[in-house]
Amino acid sequence: MEPIRKHTGLVYPLNRDNIDTDQIIPKQFLKRISRQGFGQFLFYNWRFDNDGAPRDDFSLNYKQYENASILVAGENFGCGSSREHAPWALQDYGFRVIIASSFADIFYNNCTKNGILPIQLTGEQTQKLIDRSESEAYTITVDLENKRVYGSDDFSATFDLPAYQQEMLLNGWDEIAVTLTHENKIEQFEAQETKY
Amino acid sequence: MGKPKTIVEKIWDQHVVHQEEGKPDLLYIDLHLVHEVTSPQAFEGLRMNGRKVRRPDRTFATMDHNVPTIHRNVIKDQISKTQMDTLQENCKEFDISLADIHHPDQGIVHVIGPQLGLTQPGKTIVCGDSHTSTHGAFGALAFGIGTSEVEHVLATQSLWQAKPKTLNVKVNGKLGQGITAKDLILAIIGKYGVRFGTGYVIEYTGEAIESLSMEGRMTICNMSIEAGARAGLISPDQTTVEYLRGKRHAPKGEQFEKAALAWKNLASDPGASYDATVEIEAAEVEPQVTWGTNPSMCIPISASTPSPDSATTANGKDEIKRALEYMGLEAEQPISSVKIEHVFIGSCTNSRITDLRRASEIVKGRKVNPSVRAMVVPGSFSVKAEAEKEGLDLIFKEAGFEWREAGCSMCLAMNDDIVPPGERCASTSNRNFEGRQGNGARTHLVSPEMAAAAAIEGHFVDVRKLGVPTA
């Protein structure tokens, strides 16, 4: 996967809690057998009307957010289905960083396997980012090495990320290759387990 | 004796392959269940890197999400067909057992695992599906994973996992007559919300949990993910042991007795400590109906929808307002006044034989309301066969229900079983998200008995007015 070290980008605010992966990518688009091309279906039922025309009332369709690469949302982003098609769709659409007040566990994991950086900030901090990006074109920088987020203005925050995931994302490592360096331990484990 | 341990700690300690400072543990995976929707990209990844499946004998595949439930051979959607064909080819190439749509073991992955005895206490079980938590009913540590992790497990039979925190959900006392496991889990999520389990593995304890059948326990654990927890489990006991006795993949003879003893020893020790505990009184639980667009938006059948003003935060108010609007409901509307057009009895939450038996008791000798289209989709081929042997299919069909082939069906509407825009469905599934059962479809989650009662009356009704099933 593509490493991510430092990223500067335009913020897209989606001020809702509990955005589930069914909304991020509805089930009718899960039938493809490749990882590519899901961006066009991102937030499909919110973005498009029944005839497939873009809806004027959904903010991702606003001109001002056209080149956004950092999505900011409320609590429990990515809840529900484990579908990895959700991070694939976000990434293919152009998002590299997701900031939320909290994340669902499976979605969070899935992001880190795909070079998307999930950042948990406090409710107050995400609200600030949402307010600013709703009123103007707002750009921030995310520095994964130092686990810091800062704006072109006075916004500055630090975040937490497990060291393992940080290392994976910074280096873009193939996790399976890393695990296979421990293959002898897996073999040992299999040799000594209890069988009924 | 050492420090008392929870079942989660015991299973964890038995499965750590490798431990290293500053890293998650490398955890061995005993059983990997695979289905057609979340696996093609994982197999493709293996091929691209010239990797093999490490333990095909610990991997089991079926087709469930996409499959047709009317005629097995009529798959109208070519893309669905391609996805099923791809699984067939992948299983052949990598030597994995597959129950395809014509196989007698076919069914919803979380229904067939337990039925075949593949699901056993103390196992670590994963599947590219969030409802893998279902298998926790057996005292297994079972959780949903993404496709990258599916590929990782295929290649290495292991996963890097940080040791989870534990949450004890203690259900005191007994459930009232006619109150089901589904009502209980909905009431728990209604009370504590859709994210109280995030970062935790839930262990369900208490008298009401211990008295549940295995099917009831599966319904409870199934919806752990709806509370935010990747896994939920219940300590094994004699009920667990008796369910597994004689199952095809369970140990046999003397080996079974040895295994049974080991399984029961996995139960959390008295005095084991949890990172958090919440409690609920079973006697207070009424039949539940969801009114909104996530499973915590849930009320007793005697209650009314909330008003946006009842929320304490701006986002909360907005969420209620949008949910009412999407659902086509008013604030403070009695839920029993809400008319439905569809009834779906099925899904990995509620499509097992006891679910069908209990629903059939409500349906027997009655007719589906003329304004309702109702269907039963058994969880597996073998549930369907068993129900037919008992004549349940005739009871449902005589009442006006459609009787279908096994699959996920209208729970997520990836096949042709779709609720049209703006129409309303009483569903025994697990998610009432926007568009879940079809674009613009309105889902109300209920128990099989409540769904059966709604089918008869044409609107939500307290099933206890129609009778209390004995099955």
Side-chain angles (χ1 to χ4, degrees):
Chain A
M1 70 188 183
E2 203 182 320
I4 180 164
R5 198 156 280 267
K6 208 173 205 179
H7 177 83
T8 301
L10 185 68
V11 175
Y12 166 60
L14 187 51
N15 192 12
R16 295 181 187 185
D17 292 340
N18 303 318
I19 294 174
D20 58 75
T21 53
D22 273 78
Q23 306 318 312
I24 298 173
I25 182 145
K27 76 256 168 188
Q28 63 267 37
F29 308 114
L30 307 185
K31 297 176 183 179
R32 301 177 151 222
I33 55 173
S34 84
R35 285 178 189 245
Q36 279 80 42
F38 288 101
Q40 54 187 311
F41 309 123
L42 180 70
F43 295 119
Y44 192 86
N45 294 342
W46 289 348
R47 257 167 84 201
F48 301 103
D49 64 20
N50 288 342
D51 302 322
R55 299 169 66 116
D56 301 336
D57 60 350
F58 187 59
S59 55
L60 190 57
N61 291 331
Y62 298 174
K63 189 93 182 138
Q64 67 193 92
Y65 299 122
E66 210 169 50
N67 296 310
S69 60
I70 300 172
L71 188 151
V72 182
E75 298 280 357
N76 202 25
F77 189 82
C79 59
S81 160
S82 60
R83 58 189 71 167
E84 199 162 313
H85 311 68
W88 294 339
L90 286 159
Q91 186 177 50
D92 190 49
Y93 187 87
F95 289 110
R96 286 307 306 276
V97 177
I98 315 287
I99 298 176
S101 320
S102 60
F103 288 92
D105 292 338
I106 303 177
F107 177 83
Y108 186 93
N109 257 337
N110 285 343
C111 282
T112 64
K113 313 281 180 192
N114 287 283
I116 296 179
L117 173 57
I119 297 177
Q120 184 173 354
L121 295 181
T122 65
E124 204 177 313
Q125 289 166 334
T126 52
Q127 199 55 53
K128 256 187 206 165
L129 292 175
I130 286 169
D131 291 343
R132 289 179 196 185
S133 54
E134 277 179 347
S135 59
E136 57 177 323
Y138 187 59
T139 298
I140 59 172
T141 297
V142 172
D143 174 358
L144 176 56
E145 216 157 1
N146 297 301
K147 296 195 266 196
R148 256 191 79 210
V149 180
Y150 51 92
S152 39
D153 51 6
D154 61 344
F155 185 89
S156 175
T158 55
F159 63 91
D160 246 355
L161 188 86
Y164 175 76
Q165 266 120 336
Q166 185 189 18
E167 199 178 28
M168 281 292 171
L169 284 164
L170 282 171
N171 297 293
W173 278 336
D174 168 10
E175 194 181 32
I176 296 175
V178 175
T179 308
L180 289 174
T181 63
H182 301 287
E183 202 171 7
N184 61 330
K185 286 221 156 169
I186 299 172
E187 274 162 25
Q188 278 170 27
F189 182 92
E190 287 176 335
Q192 45 109 62
E193 26 163 24
T194 318
K195 288 194 179 64
Y196 296 111
Chain B
M1 252 192 74
K3 181 179 161 285
K5 281 183 177 180
T6 63
I7 179 171
V8 174
E9 292 171 291
K10 293 183 195 182
I11 299 175
W12 197 273
D13 293 348
Q14 288 175 5
H15 287 84
V16 175
V17 170
H18 174 76
Q19 243 167 352
E20 199 177 316
E21 184 69 26
K23 268 193 172 183
D25 292 344
L26 186 62
L27 202 69
Y28 194 76
I29 302 302
D30 294 319
L31 175 65
H32 186 191
L33 302 167
V34 172
H35 66 80
E36 78 275 23
V37 176
T38 56
S39 66
Q41 295 87 350
F43 285 112
E44 186 56 24
L46 292 183
R47 262 191 298 271
M48 276 162 49
N49 292 289
R51 288 171 178 147
K52 287 191 294 213
V53 174
R54 180 175 179 82
R55 293 297 298 266
D57 59 323
R58 297 194 165 192
T59 313
F60 187 88
T62 193
M63 301 170 178
D64 54 5
H65 283 63
N66 264 327
V67 304
T69 59
I70 300 180
H71 298 294
R72 278 303 194 209
N73 290 319
V74 184
I75 307 168
K76 288 186 214 147
D77 181 353
Q78 272 314 304
I79 316 175
S80 289
K81 186 167 185 315
T82 304
Q83 203 165 47
M84 287 183 254
D85 291 346
T86 304
L87 181 62
Q88 193 115 37
E89 286 155 22
N90 285 329
C91 287
K92 198 170 165 208
E93 180 182 342
F94 292 97
D95 200 23
I96 293 167
S97 296
L98 167 70
D100 69 15
I101 52 172
H102 301 292
H103 196 286
D105 291 339
Q106 184 270 345
I108 304 174
V109 65
H110 310 308
V111 174
I112 63 175
Q115 259 180 351
L116 294 170
L118 288 164
T119 303
Q120 290 171 20
K123 278 193 178 181
T124 46
I125 303 175
V126 297
C127 174
D129 190 286
S130 61
H131 291 112
T132 308
S133 58
T134 311
H135 307 264
F138 290 79
L141 183 62
F143 51 92
I145 56 177
T147 298
S148 295
E149 290 176 311
V150 169
E151 184 179 338
H152 190 279
V153 176
L154 288 172
T156 70
Q157 204 60 33
S158 65
L159 274 179
W160 295 97
Q161 292 288 306
K163 196 169 181 173
K165 294 181 287 180
T166 53
L167 169 62
N168 181 7
V169 173
K170 192 161 178 263
V171 188
N172 299 317
K174 287 188 172 70
L175 289 171
Q177 268 217 322
I179 306 299
T180 67
K182 183 64 164 287
D183 299 312
L184 175 58
I185 189 63
L186 284 173
I188 291 169
I189 297 167
K191 183 171 179 183
Y192 292 104
V194 287
R195 51 182 185 265
F196 80 99
T198 306
Y200 292 96
V201 169
I202 296 177
E203 182 180 344
Y204 300 93
T205 65
E207 191 186 348
I209 297 294
E210 289 160 19
S211 18
L212 287 174
S213 66
M214 287 316 295
E215 286 85 353
R217 295 179 190 189
M218 284 188 252
T219 301
I220 299 279
C221 291
N222 174 272
M223 290 190 71
S224 301
I225 184 67
E226 266 49 76
R230 273 207 300 168
L233 47 57
I234 295 169
S235 283
D237 58 13
Q238 200 56 34
T239 306
T240 322
V241 169
E242 293 314 322
Y243 180 99
L244 285 169
R245 193 184 295 278
K247 292 278 185 288
R248 195 190 311 163
H249 291 274
K252 300 282 171 327
E254 201 183 312
Q255 288 300 98
F256 184 84
E257 300 312 322
K258 269 167 82 175
L261 204 63
W263 291 341
K264 286 200 268 189
N265 281 333
L266 286 168
S268 289
D269 298 327
S273 68
Y274 297 84
D275 295 293
T277 298
V278 299
E279 297 193 39
I280 187 164
E281 301 304 319
E284 289 170 11
V285 177
E286 279 187 59
Q288 302 285 311
V289 183
T290 65
W291 61 267
T293 53
N294 77 46
S296 72
M297 296 173 165
C298 174
I299 47 176
I301 180 66
S302 59
S304 298
T305 57
S307 146
D309 299 334
S310 65
T312 49
T313 64
N315 269 13
K317 286 185 206 303
D318 183 49
E319 207 174 20
I320 295 179
K321 193 169 154 279
R322 267 190 300 110
L324 286 170
E325 205 173 284
Y326 180 85
M327 294 299 289
L329 297 172
E330 302 295 323
E332 292 166 8
Q333 180 178 349
I335 198 73
S336 59
S337 72
V338 176
K339 292 197 171 78
I340 52 154
E341 287 92 32
H342 301 265
V343 167
F344 170 62
I345 298 180
S347 87
C348 58
T349 315
N350 280 126
S351 65
R352 299 181 178 83
I353 189 70
T354 52
D355 295 318
L356 305 193
R357 281 185 197 137
R358 292 167 66 101
S360 75
E361 285 191 49
I362 301 299
V363 167
K364 194 169 187 172
R366 297 186 167 112
K367 291 282 178 208
V368 170
N369 191 285
S371 61
V372 175
R373 167 213 192 194
M375 64 163 85
V376 180
V377 183
S380 68
F381 247 137
S382 79
V383 166
K384 180 168 183 269
E386 201 173 342
E388 288 172 356
K389 211 169 82 187
E390 296 176 17
L392 306 186
D393 58 325
L394 298 177
I395 297 175
F396 283 115
K397 284 195 276 195
E398 272 163 27
F401 275 83
E402 296 172 36
W403 180 253
R404 299 292 192 87
E405 301 288 342
C408 298
S409 179
M410 201 181 263
C411 171
L412 83 168
M414 275 190 81
N415 66 354
D416 296 332
D417 306 334
I418 293 170
V419 177
E423 295 191 14
R424 201 177 288 286
C425 182
S427 177
T428 66
S429 53
N430 40 54
R431 290 191 172 132
N432 49 347
F433 296 154
E434 287 181 31
R436 176 78 178 178
Q437 296 190 291
N439 191 11
R442 293 162 172 166
T443 303
H444 297 266
L445 304 176
V446 287
S447 71
E449 293 89 319
M450 284 288 285
I456 305 300
E457 299 291 330
H459 60 89
F460 293 109
V461 60
D462 189 332
V463 61
R464 293 172 296 185
K465 290 179 184 159
L466 276 72
V468 175
T470 52

